[in-house]
């Protein structure tokens, strides 16, 4: 009876709790719940009839109806149950698919079961978000006000201000801070004499006396520099009490000047409209004739009374329709149709011939505030002239058709004015291509689509580039080989009126004979480019010509990035095919008068001759870099590469062939070292940079042998902000009595391959340190070691880690390897294979600098990692930058949903710590707790 009574009381309590409640026993079966649970989570009542459901059944029901979002139902349920079996207290929020926000709190019970409370906090969450947005809006408004703002309390202490206050009053930034006194700020303009003659302290006292009256005031003050400010102040009250005053300082100098300028501009515009050679009408947003000039009245024969009446658009159209201006039409229907269009004005342009034979060109455009403007030009005479030109063109066409060779004439708008039949025959153009008003773009696009310019991935971009080059209106002579083998000599010449004429000559036979002779003596056998001997001879000739004509020559030294890897992984046949394609792209990137040569291996030289405008050099360099960045397809193998380009200019950078090639090689090397896939102009400083880098490389090798490297350890702290859960090992180089920053030597070690030996030393030394700590402290401490991009790709990395663990005796669970997001995504397949093999050793894995790379979530789920390290760039501004705060929140939520822990890097303030803890960030690392420490200090820190 007592048990039944207690059960009844418990049931009554559960049913009357103002929240949804569920109670599960030790076997994870629902023992009790209230009505609120079923209604809030929208469970079908049938699930609770008879035997109560298990937690797994409820979780599966939720997963199947999408309660947890898109997922593998079995995996989601398994993960859910795994967490539930831990029987840990939990508190989190979850948004349901219907938008309801739930606050969920759970706790284990002594008998092995657990109880969970669900509260609907949708309205509370929305209210909090609205309040936060409102506060931020107000702050943003004040920050971006065009006036300076100051807020002083009743004791004349500064409480709030914006940057504009400092700019307007020319106050030093270091003098403006929270609670600075009114006197301390007023003294600056007083000392500058802005309040007139007299002791500055007297002026300050006088203004303090006025300020303490807390009276509203508004006045203008012109400062000694000539700027005029509008000063407005108002007291702030709380009930009957004055709690301070707020003052705004508006610089109205520009406004007054702008008002004067606007008046002058309006007068000029009125004069312009009145004296325009065309007619102008303006209809306002109400479709009233607001303005028209005398020419519009003359052309359109408006009645004199229009100037005073301001007729509506409908009245004007009706007047025109009734006098036959639009032909024989239904007047009211025409008025209705044109008024409807006028209510939704768009830019328009057309020609109209009036009943008296006058032809008018009409151009109109909508106005920003509503209404539209229309320009009317009398083009009657132009039309007569065009008819005469049309007759003359017939004569001109007869002449063109009898010229031996293809001929085209395009106007300045790139429209085809004339061409002959030979042009269509030589280029195999179909008749329909010439129908209507053919443009240069039409011919370019047709050629690009049929492969006339080779294989093109982006036809629109290629056509746009060709049109941009044509728009330069430069004379040109070049040869082009069509897909059918025909070689055309193409000569173009701009015309005075902005158009240009082009002549196409078939030189297939001539070109074939000359090419055969040239190839035998002076060509690279693989690529067909000029060989080194040919390059040197032609370069010497180009330099002599440039010296004679006082022009410039640019020499570009090119090296294909990562070509060795292509040869090693794909074989030499693919490597040779790749070089042939590189040669083709280089050739298509320059003029026929330029030189393209294979210097040796994967090195090429491009010589730009007869340069009149130095901007052409950078244009070609950028074009080459872009061309090499596009994917290659060699015998079915897709290759992604890039090129590093060094540039020298004769005579600025060197005056002979040997120095030009050497300096171009130095510039190329610097471009490769700066990130590859770019070009670099030679600078005398580059020689010194190359020398310094060579010294650094030598010093690095010696440092490895001499044992100059040491490790510092930065603590990683648990969410409680106190407990040390591990250390990250960071390498340092002791050199010349100081420490060389890692960013100065790690990239060189990575590039030269020294990173493998250095990384192996770091791994073993960190493991030894962890073992020593364990022996002295009596407890286990995790140590994290960074793995470089090169190490991650190394097939021997798993064996190395296994041997180090064996030699040092460190338990695998106490070692964590960190790889950067960029390194993991560089070759995802290899990264996944190696990381899985490393994971099988029992060690921990972490993704470092998460959020700064280009991770694919699809691959991220496949990586066998335990932790994400949130990059410091997102942590440092979470107090002020809403975007960073959102990114941190989303990243931590994503990691937890994937079953990963999160370590936040770069924690430097208590506010950052508090925010990250509120997000349930698992671990924290940064200078707020400790900088990286030598081993002995790190050990003491961990023990403290």
């Amino acid at each position: 009876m007592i048990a039944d009574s207690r059960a009844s009381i418990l049931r009554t309590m559960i049913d009357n709790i103002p929240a949804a409640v569920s109670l599960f026993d030790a076997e994870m079966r629902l023992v009790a719940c209230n009505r609120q649970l079923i209604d809030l989570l929208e469970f079908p009542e049938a699930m609770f009839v008879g035997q109560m459901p298990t937690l797994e059944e409820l979780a599966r029901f939720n997963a199947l109806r999408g309660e947890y979002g898109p997922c593998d139902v079995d995996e989601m349920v398994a993960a859910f149950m795994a967490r539930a079996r831990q029987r840990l207290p939990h508190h989190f929020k979850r948004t349901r698919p219907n938008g309801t926000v739930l606050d969920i709190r759970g706790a284990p019970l002594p008998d092995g079961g657990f109880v969970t409370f669900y509260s609907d906090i949708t309205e509370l969450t929305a209210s909090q978000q609205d309040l936060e947005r409102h506060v931020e809006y107000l702050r943003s408004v004040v920050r971006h006000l065009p006036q300076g703002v100051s807020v002083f309390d009743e004791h004349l202490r500064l409480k709030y201000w914006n940057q504009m206050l400092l700019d307007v009053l020319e106050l030093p930034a270091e003098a403006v801070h929270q609670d600075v006194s009114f006197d301390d700020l007023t003294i600056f303009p007083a000392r500058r004499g802005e309040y007139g003659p007299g002791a500055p302290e007297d002026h300050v006292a006088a203004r303090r006396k006025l300020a303490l009256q807390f009276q509203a005031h508004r006045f203008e003050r012109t400062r000694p520099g000539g700027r005029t400010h509008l000063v407005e102040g108002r007291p702030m009250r709380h009930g009957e009490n004055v709690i301070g005053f707020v003052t705004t300082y508006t610089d109205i100098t520009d406004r007054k000047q702008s008002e004067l300028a606007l008046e002058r501009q309006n007068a000029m515009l009125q004069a312009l409209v009145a004296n325009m050679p065309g007619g102008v009408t303006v209809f306002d947003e109400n479709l009233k004739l607001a303005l028209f000039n005398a020419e519009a009245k003359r052309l359109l024969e408006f009645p004199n009374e229009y100037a005073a009446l301001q007729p509506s658009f409908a009245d004007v159209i009706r007047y025109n329709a009734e006098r036959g201006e639009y032909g024989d039409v239904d007047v009211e229907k025409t008025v209705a149709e044109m008024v409807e269009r006028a209510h939704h004005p768009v830019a328009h342009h057309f020609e109209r011939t009036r009943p008296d034979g006058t032809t008018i060109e009409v151009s109109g455009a909508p106005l920003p505030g509503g209404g539209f403007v229309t320009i009317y030009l009398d083009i009657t005479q132009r039309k007569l002239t065009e008819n005469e030109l049309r007759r003359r063109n017939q004569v001109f066409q007869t002449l063109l058709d009898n010229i031996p060779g293809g001929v085209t004439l395009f106007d300045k708008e790139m429209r085809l004015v004339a061409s002959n039949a030979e042009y269509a025959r030589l280029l195999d153009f179909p008749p329909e291509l010439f129908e209507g008003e053919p443009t240069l773009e039409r011919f370019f696009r047709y050629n690009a689509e049929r492969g006339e310019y080779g294989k093109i991935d982006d036809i629109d971009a290629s056509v746009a580039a060709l049109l941009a080059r044509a728009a330069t209106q430069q004379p040109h002579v070049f040869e082009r080989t069509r897909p059918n083998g025909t070689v055309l000599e193409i000569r173009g010449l701009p015309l005075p009126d902005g158009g240009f004429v082009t002549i196409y000559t078939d030189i297939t036979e001539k070109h074939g004979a000359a090419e055969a002779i040239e190839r035998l003596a002076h060509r690279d056998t693989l690529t067909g480019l000029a060989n080194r001997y040919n390059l040197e001879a032609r370069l010497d000739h180009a330099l002599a010509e440039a010296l004679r004509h006082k022009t410039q020559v640019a020499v570009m030294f090119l090296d294909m990035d990562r070509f060795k890897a292509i040869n090693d992984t794909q074989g030499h046949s693919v490597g040779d095919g790749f070089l042939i394609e590189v040669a083709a792209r280089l050739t298509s990137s320059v003029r026929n008068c330029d030189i393209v040569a294979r210097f040796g291996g994967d090195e090429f030289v491009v010589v730009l001759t007869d340069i009149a405008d130095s901007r052409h050099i950078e244009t070609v360099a950028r074009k080459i870099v872009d061309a090499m960045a596009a994917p290659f397809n060699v015998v079915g193998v897709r290759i992604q590469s890039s090129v590093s380009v060094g540039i020298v200019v004769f005579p600025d950078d060197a005056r002979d062939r040997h120095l030009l090639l050497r300096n171009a090689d130095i510039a190329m090397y610097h471009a490769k070292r700066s990130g590859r896939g770019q070009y670099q102009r030679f600078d005398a400083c580059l020689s010194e940079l190359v020398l310094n880098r060579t010294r650094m490389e030598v010093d690095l090798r010696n440092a490895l042998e001499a044992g100059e490297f040491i490790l510092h350890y930065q603590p990683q702290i648990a969410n409680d902000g106190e407990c040390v859960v591990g250390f990250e090992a960071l390498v340092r180089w002791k050199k010349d009595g100081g420490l060389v920053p890692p960013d100065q030597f790690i990239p060189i070690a990575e590039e030269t391959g020294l990173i493998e030996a250095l990384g192996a030393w770091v791994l073993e030394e960190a493991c030894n340190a962890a073992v020593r700590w364990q022996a002295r402290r009596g407890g286990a401490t995790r140590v994290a070691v960074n793995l470089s991009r090169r190490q991650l790709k190394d097939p021997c990395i798993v064996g190395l880690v296994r041997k180090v663990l064996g030699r040092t005796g460190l338990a695998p669970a106490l070692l964590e390897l960190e790889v950067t997001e960029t390194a993991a995504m560089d070759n995802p397949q290899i990264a996944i294979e190696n990381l899985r093999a490393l994971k099988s050793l029992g060690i921990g894995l972490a993704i470092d600098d998460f959020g700064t790379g280009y991770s694919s979530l699809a691959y991220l789920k496949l990586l066998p990692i335990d932790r994400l390290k949130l990059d410091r760039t997102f942590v440092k501004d979470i107090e002020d930058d809403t975007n960073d705060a959102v990114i941190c929140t989303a990243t931590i939520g994503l990691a937890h949903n994937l079953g990963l822990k999160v370590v936040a890097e770069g924690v430097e303030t208590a506010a950052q710590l508090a925010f990250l803890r509120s997000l349930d960030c698992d671990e924290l690392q940064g200078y707020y707790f400790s900088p990286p420490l030598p081993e002995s200090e790190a050990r003491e820190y961990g023990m403290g």
Side-chain angles (χ1 to χ4, degrees):
M1 292 297 290
I2 295 175
D4 291 342
S5 175
R6 288 180 177 175
S8 176
I9 293 172
L10 177 61
R11 166 55 62 186
T12 302
M13 289 174 60
I14 289 176
D15 288 339
N16 288 278
I17 290 175
V21 181
S22 65
L23 181 64
F24 288 86
D25 61 17
E27 279 69 40
M28 301 289 182
R29 182 171 294 280
L30 184 66
V31 176
C33 68
N34 59 4
R35 183 69 196 185
Q36 290 93 318
L37 177 76
I38 298 173
D39 294 341
L40 185 60
L41 299 184
E42 297 182 288
F43 285 132
E45 294 187 13
M47 293 185 70
F48 301 88
V49 176
Q51 187 179 27
M52 299 292 267
T54 64
L55 178 62
E56 181 173 355
E57 289 170 345
L58 293 175
R60 183 171 299 278
F61 178 81
N62 273 343
L64 288 170
R65 65 173 175 173
E67 193 74 18
Y68 309 129
C71 64
D72 182 292
V73 172
D74 292 334
E75 291 182 2
M76 173 59 74
V77 172
F80 185 92
M81 293 305 298
R83 288 196 299 272
R85 292 187 185 99
Q86 295 177 4
R87 291 179 170 81
L88 297 176
H90 54 273
H91 178 207
F92 61 92
K93 296 176 182 178
R94 178 164 69 82
T95 302
R96 298 195 59 231
N98 64 6
T100 302
V101 181
L102 302 178
D103 181 84
I104 304 173
R105 297 173 182 265
L109 298 175
D111 63 354
F114 60 90
V115 63
T116 306
F117 297 89
Y118 304 79
S119 299
D120 185 344
I121 60 168
T122 307
E123 294 184 2
L124 176 60
T125 301
S127 298
Q128 289 175 342
Q129 292 173 348
D130 288 343
L131 180 59
E132 291 171 0
R133 283 195 296 269
H134 183 68
V135 171
E136 184 55 33
Y137 291 159
L138 291 178
R139 289 177 177 168
S140 180
V141 167
V142 174
R143 282 197 301 269
H144 295 88
L145 280 174
Q147 297 93 1
V149 177
S150 66
V151 179
F152 285 87
D153 63 13
E154 68 272 23
H155 304 297
L156 299 189
R157 294 287 179 180
L158 184 65
K159 291 298 182 182
Y160 191 80
W161 68 97
N162 62 2
Q163 179 61 39
M164 187 61 69
L165 176 72
L166 282 70
D167 298 340
V168 170
L169 299 184
E170 299 182 30
L171 296 173
E174 63 274 10
V176 183
H177 54 83
Q178 189 77 16
D179 289 329
V180 65
S181 71
F182 178 84
D183 292 10
D184 290 343
L185 293 182
T186 311
I187 193 65
F188 288 100
R191 287 174 178 166
R192 291 195 294 258
E194 295 193 17
Y195 303 136
E201 291 75 11
D202 294 341
H203 287 297
V204 170
R207 272 149 183 79
R208 180 176 64 252
K209 182 178 179 181
L210 288 173
L212 287 171
Q213 297 176 10
F214 296 105
Q215 296 295 321
H217 53 275
R218 185 178 191 274
F219 59 89
E220 294 181 5
R221 180 163 65 85
T222 300
R223 302 182 59 209
R227 308 298 294 182
T228 300
H229 294 151
L230 174 64
V231 183
E232 297 180 274
R234 289 181 176 82
M236 298 185 299
R237 298 182 183 276
H238 182 70
E240 297 297 324
N241 299 321
V242 174
I243 60 171
F245 65 91
V246 59
T247 308
T248 59
Y249 303 82
T250 306
D251 189 332
I252 60 174
T253 309
D254 293 341
R255 187 185 75 189
K256 290 190 172 183
Q257 292 175 350
S258 296
E259 289 172 353
L260 292 174
L262 185 60
E263 291 177 4
R264 288 194 296 269
Q265 186 179 26
N266 285 337
M268 291 173 60
L269 289 175
Q270 290 287 351
L272 175 64
V273 169
N275 292 280
M276 282 184 66
V280 180
T281 63
V282 176
F283 285 88
D284 62 20
E285 66 275 14
N286 299 314
L287 296 186
K288 291 285 188 179
L289 184 59
L291 181 148
F292 64 92
N293 63 0
E295 182 65 7
K297 180 179 180 301
R298 184 191 70 80
L299 278 177
L300 304 177
E301 296 184 289
F302 281 163
N304 293 327
E305 57 269 20
Y306 269 17
L309 291 178
Q310 283 194 314
S312 68
F313 180 74
D315 292 338
V316 174
I317 298 301
R318 183 175 290 104
Y319 173 76
N320 280 340
E322 288 175 346
R323 61 178 176 165
E325 197 76 19
Y326 310 125
D328 186 12
V329 297
D330 183 317
V331 172
E332 293 306 320
K333 181 179 179 182
T334 299
V335 170
E337 290 175 351
M338 297 187 72
V339 168
E340 175 61 26
R341 287 202 297 268
H343 279 299
H344 309 282
V346 295
H348 54 275
H349 179 267
F350 59 90
E351 295 177 2
R352 179 164 69 85
T353 300
R354 297 192 61 223
D356 63 0
T358 303
T359 301
I360 300 174
E361 182 181 65
V362 183
S363 302
L367 296 173
F372 55 92
V373 61
T374 309
I375 309 295
Y376 306 86
L377 294 178
D378 186 344
I379 59 171
T380 307
Q381 186 59 45
R382 188 180 80 188
K383 284 295 182 181
L384 294 174
T385 303
E386 288 176 355
N387 292 333
E388 175 61 19
L389 288 176
R390 192 173 294 109
R391 185 190 65 78
R392 295 183 182 182
N393 282 341
Q394 294 174 352
V395 177
F396 177 66
Q397 185 65 48
T398 303
L399 176 63
L400 286 181
D401 288 339
N402 288 277
I403 291 178
V407 180
T408 61
L409 175 63
F410 287 87
D411 64 17
K412 64 180 179 180
E413 305 298 333
M414 298 192 186
R415 295 175 297 202
L416 182 65
V417 176
S419 66
N420 61 3
E422 185 66 5
Y423 170 64
R425 188 192 69 79
L426 282 176
L427 276 298
D428 292 321
F429 285 146
E432 57 267 22
L433 205 61
F434 296 86
E435 294 176 355
E437 292 188 0
T439 63
L440 184 60
E441 179 183 5
R442 180 188 294 181
F443 292 104
F444 280 157
R445 187 171 298 278
Y446 181 82
N447 275 340
E449 290 174 348
R450 66 173 175 170
E452 192 77 15
Y453 309 130
K455 187 177 183 303
I456 297 173
D457 292 328
D458 189 336
I459 290 179
D460 289 337
S462 177
V463 171
L466 290 168
L467 288 171
R469 183 162 50 185
T472 62
Q473 297 280 308
Q474 296 295 319
H476 54 272
V477 178
F478 63 92
E479 297 176 2
R480 177 161 69 82
T481 302
R482 298 194 57 230
N484 64 6
T486 302
V487 181
L488 299 178
E489 179 188 71
I490 302 173
R491 294 176 175 267
L493 184 68
L495 300 176
D497 64 353
F500 54 92
V501 63
T502 308
I503 300 175
Y504 302 79
T505 306
D506 187 342
I507 59 168
T508 306
E509 293 184 5
K510 173 183 174 183
H511 187 273
E515 190 176 61
I517 296 172
E518 171 73 13
R519 184 179 297 109
L520 288 173
H522 302 291
R523 296 289 166 178
D524 174 64
T525 56
L526 176 65
T527 64
L529 296 177
N531 56 24
R532 192 165 182 167
Y533 169 78
N534 187 358
L535 167 69
E536 293 175 350
R538 293 175 66 185
L539 180 55
D540 285 340
H541 177 73
L543 297 180
E545 287 294 306
L547 194 62
R548 181 180 303 112
H549 297 291
K550 297 182 179 180
T551 57
Q552 291 182 317
V553 172
V555 177
M556 298 182 179
F557 203 103
L558 297 84
D559 183 89
M560 298 307 300
D561 299 326
R562 304 183 183 88
F563 175 69
K564 183 177 183 301
I566 297 173
N567 258 347
D568 292 345
T569 57
Q570 304 296 337
H572 289 283
S573 61
V574 173
D576 288 348
F578 171 71
L579 292 177
I580 293 171
E581 179 62 23
V582 167
R585 293 191 184 186
L586 286 176
T587 302
S588 65
S589 299
V590 299
R591 304 166 299 180
N592 272 5
C593 61
D594 298 325
I595 304 169
V596 181
R598 185 184 178 199
F599 202 72
D602 63 333
E603 295 178 336
F604 297 82
V605 173
V606 172
V607 180
L608 306 181
T609 63
D610 192 24
I611 298 172
D613 186 345
S614 59
R615 291 177 296 183
H616 176 65
I617 302 171
E618 185 173 350
T619 299
V620 174
R622 187 183 300 110
K623 184 178 181 181
I624 290 174
V625 169
D626 291 344
M628 298 305 152
F632 291 79
N633 193 311
V634 182
V635 294
V637 178
R638 190 176 188 273
I639 298 173
Q640 191 73 50
S641 186
S642 59
V643 67
S644 298
V645 184
I647 305 172
V648 294
V649 177
F650 171 87
D652 300 346
D653 301 325
R655 300 185 67 86
D656 64 69
R657 166 169 45 88
H658 298 288
L659 281 179
L660 283 169
L661 291 172
R662 190 202 72 173
N663 292 346
D665 189 23
I666 290 174
M668 180 276 296
Y669 174 78
H670 184 70
K672 187 176 289 289
R673 181 168 175 259
S674 298
R676 306 186 181 187
Q678 55 185 284
Y679 57 88
Q680 174 69 52
R681 172 74 185 269
F682 174 78
D683 187 292
C685 297
L686 293 182
S687 297
E688 184 64 24
L689 289 174
V690 172
L691 181 60
N692 290 339
R693 187 199 176 281
T694 303
R695 290 172 182 163
M696 177 71 79
E697 183 177 340
V698 172
D699 289 347
L700 267 176
R701 295 184 187 277
N702 294 335
L704 275 170
E705 297 174 2
E708 294 177 4
F709 292 100
I710 61 172
L711 291 184
H712 282 186
Y713 301 86
Q714 188 169 35
Q716 295 175 331
I717 311 300
N719 179 268
D720 61 7
E722 297 179 2
C723 180
V724 177
V725 295
F727 290 86
E728 180 181 4
L730 301 167
V731 67
R732 299 291 187 263
W733 180 9
K734 294 187 300 183
K735 186 175 185 291
D736 300 331
L739 294 178
V740 180
D743 59 356
Q744 291 187 16
F745 67 87
I746 291 295
I748 297 177
E750 181 88 28
E751 183 178 337
T752 59
L754 292 173
I755 194 67
E756 295 179 354
L758 178 59
W761 176 85
V762 170
L763 177 64
E764 186 143 1
E765 179 60 20
C767 290
N768 278 323
V771 171
R772 288 192 290 269
W773 291 342
Q774 188 173 0
R776 296 189 183 186
R777 295 175 55 196
T781 302
R782 185 185 74 219
V783 63
V785 177
N786 290 284
L787 205 63
S788 72
R789 185 196 303 255
R790 186 185 288 264
Q791 286 178 289
L792 182 59
K793 294 180 180 178
D794 188 353
C796 300
I797 185 62
V798 180
L800 172 65
V801 175
R802 183 185 293 110
K803 290 177 182 178
V804 168
L805 290 173
R807 283 196 298 266
T808 61
L810 182 68
L814 298 182
L815 174 63
E816 183 176 87
L817 296 182
E818 297 182 4
V819 296
T820 65
E821 180 183 6
T822 304
M825 291 299 105
D826 188 37
N827 191 324
Q829 192 57 45
I830 293 177
I832 292 171
E833 294 174 2
N834 280 350
L835 289 175
R836 285 178 175 171
L838 288 168
K839 186 66 177 176
S840 69
L841 300 179
I843 67 173
L845 297 174
I847 289 291
D848 196 12
D849 300 337
F850 184 75
T852 61
Y854 45 90
S855 292
S856 164
L857 291 180
Y859 279 112
L860 187 61
K861 292 194 298 183
L862 298 176
L863 296 177
I865 56 176
D866 306 289
R867 289 176 179 79
L868 291 183
K869 296 197 74 176
L870 188 60
D871 188 70
R872 67 185 68 250
T873 57
F874 300 118
V875 173
K876 69 183 180 72
D877 291 327
I878 56 176
E879 302 164 68
D880 306 307
D881 191 322
T882 303
N883 290 333
D884 284 349
V886 171
I887 290 172
C888 288
T889 304
T891 301
I892 293 172
L894 168 67
H896 287 170
N897 285 335
L898 293 175
L900 305 177
K901 291 188 175 181
V902 179
V903 182
E905 297 179 298
V907 179
E908 298 181 356
T909 67
Q912 292 170 354
L913 171 61
F915 183 83
L916 291 167
R917 290 183 65 186
S918 72
L919 298 179
D920 290 333
C921 183
D922 303 281
E923 297 173 12
L924 309 120
Q925 179 179 345
Y927 276 69
Y928 179 80
F929 305 102
S930 171
L933 301 170
E935 181 182 340
S936 60
E937 296 180 27
R939 182 175 64 250
E940 294 300 320
Y941 186 98
M943 295 176 66

